[in-house]
Amino acid sequence: MAPEYDFAGQLSFLNLGELLQLLGSSSATGILRVHSPFRSEPGKIVVEKGNPINATNGTLSGVEALFALFGWAEGRFEFTREAVADKRTIQKGRMEIILDGLRLLDEGKIEKLGPRAEAAHGSSKVAAPAAPKPELPPVIKGPLVDYSWVIDEEGFYDGDEIVHEGAHGNWIWVILEGAAEILKATPNGPLKLLRLGDGAFLGSVAALLVGNNVRSTTVVACGNIQLGMLDAKLLTAELANLSADFKSLIKSLDNRLRCVTRIAADAHARNPAFMQLIKGKRLAIKEGQNEERLFRIREGHVVVARSQGSGYVPLAELQEGDFFGHIPFLTIGHEPYAAAVFSSPDLKLTAVDSPKIVSEHKRLSATLRNIIEHLAACISATTLVTIHTIRKSGIL
């Protein structure tokens, strides 16, 4: 009898990055096995609540094994939902893994399995590309669209401006088909931040909580694109029933995305003023620290920063009402295991009841959960763009 899988298919249809995004959007827990006709043993990825926590690939393990699997372009995959007992050995968040894996593959630092590679006896060396490829922003996709939430459709042609930075608007779209590019204006010209694909969202859900909203970026169609406008009344009604803590968490996530986007824009313009955000602050949480709590700021402020060898790179400045620490159901790349926290001398905090917000998160509609997950993915991806832009600018 053939084994039963919850999800299976060909890698030619869904590559590893797309698979990890799909599993993440559904917060799946289980084992993903990847088979290649050029390897006798499958690769295995252990997934917990949508995030890879361990992997094996021949003699490799952990994040090294996972990155190597990005080179398996031919073959098949099988995912089985099941309880997992593996300890977390992979500390990077899902979106960071996807973007780093695709970048390393594109740079030729990951072996691409195939007849030519097999003939070379599995050599990890890959010939350098004939010419450098143009830099492209990360691509973020979403899960299948729930059409019951779509009240109208609208199409745009390649190059059309869908949203203009600085304009007002609270509506939210989902991409039904096609792709869009997110741009941020800077004195040195527009900075390309992200590319959004099928199932991704355009717009800020926090805007439905605070009212008047100014768009922080410009959105341009990449090829022809079809958008679905979400039912704002349904979303507003659901948001109205959330606890004050959960509403504040959504606002804080939106604020964090705006912060890291502004820093990316300053770095692109070679304006180092943001490096002063850490000045005069004490180290409150070390990068890599095992801190599972979530905090809300009552007084003072903090700066989330990531170590880059020669110093810390500020990612976001958080004020009264903002949250920092470990959000049990989201990965944003700013968690204590990935970033440090610097605090002002007058900082006062409240520990958040994490089990309570986890329970509330489970009761959300699939659409609102997907919107919040998409917001977290954008924070994670924009964080990587920001760090790359800072390095490129020579500021650090």
Side-chain angles (χ1 to χ4, degrees), residues 42 50 62-63 132 209 217 222 243 374:
V63 73
L209 291 169
T217 54
C222 297
S243 67
H374 174 262

Side-chain angles (χ1 to χ4, degrees), residues 6 58 79 121 149 161 185 199 201 232 255 258 289 340 369:
D6 292 285
F79 179 75
H121 305 290
W149 286 73
E161 189 174 87
F201 297 93
N255 176 55
R258 290 172 184 266
Q289 183 173 325
R369 278 201 310 271

Side-chain angles (χ1 to χ4, degrees), residues 324-352:
F324 70 89
H326 175 67
I327 304 172
F329 46 85
L330 291 178
T331 303
I332 61 175
H334 293 190
E335 292 78 12
Y337 61 75
V341 175
F342 292 82
S343 70
S344 62
D346 59 342
L347 183 66
K348 292 184 180 179
L349 305 172
T350 297
V352 177

Side-chain angles (χ1 to χ4, degrees), residues 142-163:
L144 294 175
V145 176
D146 182 351
Y147 278 91
S148 67
W149 286 73
V150 175
I151 59 172
D152 194 13
E153 293 189 23
E154 190 169 1
F156 293 86
Y157 296 105
D158 184 31
D160 283 354
E161 189 174 87
I162 302 169
V163 171

Side-chain angles (χ1 to χ4, degrees), residues 98-214:
I98 294 169
L99 299 178
D100 278 349
L102 294 175
R103 175 182 56 80
L104 292 170
L105 182 66
D106 190 58
E107 292 174 353
K109 296 178 181 178
I110 293 175
E111 176 189 2
K112 296 180 180 180
L113 291 191
R116 191 173 300 175
E118 188 67 9
H121 305 290
S123 171
S124 61
K125 294 183 179 180
V126 179
K133 296 181 179 180
E135 291 186 11
L136 293 175
V139 179
I140 297 177
K141 296 184 179 181
L144 294 175
V145 176
D146 182 351
Y147 278 91
S148 67
W149 286 73
V150 175
I151 59 172
D152 194 13
E153 293 189 23
E154 190 169 1
F156 293 86
Y157 296 105
D158 184 31
D160 283 354
E161 189 174 87
I162 302 169
V163 171
H164 182 74
E165 181 177 347
H168 294 257
N170 296 336
W171 55 92
I172 299 176
W173 287 291
V174 61
I175 300 178
L176 302 176
E177 185 178 2
E181 195 165 65
I182 310 300
L183 308 173
K184 179 68 176 176
T186 83
N188 283 359
L191 170 63
K192 296 179 180 180
L193 290 169
L194 306 171
R195 283 170 66 93
L196 304 182
D198 296 356
F201 297 93
L202 304 176
S204 167
V205 67
L208 299 177
L209 291 169
V210 299
N212 189 36
N213 177 57
V214 178

Side-chain angles (χ1 to χ4, degrees), residues 241-292:
N241 290 321
L242 297 179
S243 67
D245 268 352
F246 209 99
K247 290 177 183 176
S248 295
L249 177 62
I250 293 173
K251 294 175 187 176
S252 183
L253 289 170
D254 184 76
N255 176 55
R256 196 183 291 246
L257 178 58
R258 290 172 184 266
C259 282
V260 74
T261 299
R262 285 196 298 269
I263 290 173
D266 284 345
H268 185 66
R270 290 179 168 77
N271 176 7
F274 63 88
M275 295 297 292
Q276 299 299 312
L277 291 173
I278 301 175
K279 190 175 182 179
K281 296 179 177 62
R282 64 179 181 85
L283 183 61
I285 297 178
K286 295 180 180 179
E287 183 175 329
Q289 183 173 325
N290 184 20
E291 175 57 77
E292 296 293 322

